[in-house]
Amino acid sequence: MVTLYEHPLSPYAQKVKISAPEKGIALDLKTPDGIGAGSARGEFIAANPRAEVPALIDGETYVFDSTIILEYIEDNWPEPPMLPASPAERAKVRMIEEVCDTHYEAINWGLGEITWFRRATGSKAREMQELAAQQTAKIQNWLTKQLGPHDWFNGKSFGWGDLSVVPYVNGSAGFGNAPDECSPLGKWLARANARPAVAQTAKEAVDSIAGMQVVADVLEQGLFKREYRDHRLEWMMKTEGVEIVLDGLEKNNIRFSYDFE
């Protein structure tokens, strides 16, 4: 049994939770204690000193970072392959993954900051949500071009490109920024969500949203820290959220994920 430390709302963890079942790999899913509060300990920290999900443990092998985990899975369980055959096609899906993991993730993360953590309220929240919707539309247009006439981002079959995109498009849908159902991207999303591994992962994410209703109060009490990756900080800066960052620093409820012990 392979252990995966994860959180249902993490798109990075979702990528792994889709890839493994597609290859017939059983995962023992665990949500680490103390995640986000600066108190994570034990096996999870040994697997990822940045205290971020996902982290995978396979016997004596500890792997962190979603892309590196996907590569480890592909190397260790090559069938069925998630990467397409040619070098050019592999480069394409890896670039799609990079765009989604950085630019797209930051938009959905920012909307979570507003919706769940109440980092912005009132007119400020509406302003940032409108900007996020515009940014999402641009990325979805770009993704539509990458999809082209194919059923899948991988080309003829579901694979690396698709599992790298679907967590983010589903995340957008949860914030009211879904692609049109009749559009090529909307039809692709329906096909992807019909796959058992994607459907299960999406359901777990939706089910976990109910627990997010209390996180703003927990944050205000200083019991929870928000983490900024570089692209998330960039999103805040370019989406008129400078004062949100500064306010979080003043209240000491923001931390930057570079702490190694």
Side-chain angles (χ1 to χ4, degrees):
M1 179 69 71
V2 179
T3 298
L4 181 72
Y5 281 96
E6 59 104 20
H7 188 284
L9 286 174
S10 166
Y12 302 111
Q14 289 178 33
K15 289 159 53 182
V16 181
K17 290 165 64 177
I18 294 169
S19 179
E22 287 281 344
K23 288 177 172 287
I25 304 166
L27 293 174
D28 179 19
L29 301 178
K30 296 182 179 181
T31 300
D33 294 330
I35 186 172
S39 58
R41 295 290 183 269
E43 184 181 63
F44 172 57
I45 290 295
N48 187 353
R50 289 178 59 139
E52 296 173 342
V53 296
L56 181 139
I57 300 176
D58 178 24
E60 299 300 315
T61 302
Y62 290 19
V63 189
F64 66 86
D65 183 273
S66 63
T67 301
I68 299 173
I69 292 173
L70 290 181
E71 292 170 342
Y72 174 79
I73 290 174
E74 192 74 0
D75 290 340
N76 214 23
W77 295 275
E79 297 297 331
M82 290 291 104
L83 282 169
S86 76
E89 291 171 323
R90 291 184 176 207
K92 179 180 178 180
V93 299
R94 283 170 168 146
M95 288 187 289
I96 290 171
E97 181 189 22
E98 173 65 14
V99 169
C100 289
D101 280 357
T102 56
H103 297 286
Y104 206 158
E105 193 274 346
I107 299 170
N108 287 343
W109 173 86
L111 288 171
E113 291 293 282
I114 296 167
T115 304
W116 300 324
F117 292 93
R118 297 199 294 268
R119 284 289 192 188
T121 57
S123 61
K124 185 62 177 179
R126 290 190 293 272
E127 176 190 3
M128 296 182 74
Q129 287 165 335
E130 288 172 3
L131 288 171
Q134 295 169 16
Q135 295 162 356
T136 299
K138 289 181 180 179
I139 287 188
Q140 290 182 353
N141 286 338
W142 181 83
L143 286 171
T144 298
K145 293 177 183 177
Q146 306 312 304
L147 182 62
H150 306 293
D151 283 345
W152 303 108
F153 284 96
N154 256 45
K156 295 181 180 179
S157 61
F158 180 92
W160 192 295
D162 305 282
L163 63 87
S164 296
V165 175
V166 71
Y168 299 104
V169 182
N170 276 335
S172 288
F175 291 117
N177 296 326
D180 185 276
E181 292 180 357
C182 297
S183 69
L185 190 63
K187 292 178 179 178
W188 164 85
L189 183 62
R191 286 193 295 273
N193 279 328
R195 301 184 74 85
V198 178
Q200 178 63 29
T201 299
K203 180 181 183 302
E204 290 168 1
V206 171
D207 290 346
S208 73
I209 289 176
M212 300 299 289
Q213 305 307 315
V214 299
V215 295
D217 294 333
V218 174
L219 182 71
E220 190 66 27
Q221 295 170 35
L223 301 176
F224 198 84
K225 303 284 186 185
R226 301 305 297 128
E227 288 191 344
Y228 278 170
R229 294 171 181 257
D230 51 358
H231 57 270
R232 292 173 176 175
L233 182 60
E234 178 187 3
W235 184 86
M236 275 291 184
M237 293 302 184
K238 72 181 182 183
T239 314
E240 312 300 333
V242 175
E243 66 270 32
I244 295 173
V245 176
L246 295 177
D247 181 63
L249 289 172
E250 183 177 343
K251 292 179 178 178
N252 197 30
N253 56 17
I254 286 178
R255 73 184 181 96
F256 298 86
S257 354
Y258 52 69
D259 295 332
F260 283 74
E261 295 180 0

